[in-house]
Amino acid sequence: MLTIASRVDVMNRLGRAMSDATRSRILLALLDQPGYPARLAEELELTRTNVSNHLACLRGCGIVVAVPEGRRTRYEIADPHLARALSALVNVTLAVDEGEPCLDPSCTVPGCCADCGPAQ
């Protein structure tokens, strides 16, 4: 069972992982599919060293894992539950942005978005 202290540690690790724009971009790329440092660097227009340093931080936070594949290393979100939670967090955050259409067509939450009517 998680204690308050361990829950705070988890929240701090998540916050640290997502507090940097480059790490957030890497996480979003890894939510789409596992990636390799060189490929991530190319896709995100970053240096390989920069990507490797951020991946090391994400590993240290327990957010991603490194999977050796011969001479290469594949990175992926550490757990499918975490991947779903991060995706949900991104979607919820987008849904509450003023004027953005709601991602849930059946949403009835007042004030959630422009399509759901005025806030109560």
Side-chain angles (χ1 to χ4, degrees):
M1 177 191 283
L2 289 176
T3 65
I4 293 295
S6 59
R7 289 179 180 177
V8 168
D9 179 57
V10 168
M11 294 297 289
N12 287 337
R13 286 186 288 135
L14 284 170
R16 176 179 163 85
M18 294 185 294
S19 67
D20 181 88
T22 300
R23 284 193 295 273
S24 292
R25 291 174 61 210
I26 292 169
L27 280 172
L28 288 171
L30 294 177
L31 280 174
D32 289 337
Q33 64 183 356
Y36 301 88
R39 183 77 177 240
L40 288 166
E42 182 181 314
E43 290 172 2
L44 300 174
E45 297 179 352
L46 300 166
T47 65
R48 173 125 188 238
T49 301
N50 191 333
V51 169
S52 293
N53 288 337
H54 284 292
L55 286 169
C57 176
L58 292 169
R59 269 194 338 266
C61 290
I63 309 296
V64 302
V65 293
V67 180
E69 290 184 343
R71 298 177 74 191
R72 300 185 340 160
T73 302
R74 183 183 77 238
Y75 288 83
E76 56 191 46
I77 303 296
D79 183 270
H81 294 95
L82 179 57
R84 283 193 300 278
L86 288 171
S87 293
L89 179 61
V90 169
N91 290 335
V92 166
T93 303
L94 288 174
V96 296
D97 283 348
E98 188 174 315
E100 289 296 318
C102 189
L103 298 173
D104 180 359
S106 63
C107 178
T108 59
V109 176
C112 169
C113 57
D115 299 333
C116 299
Q120 304 270 333

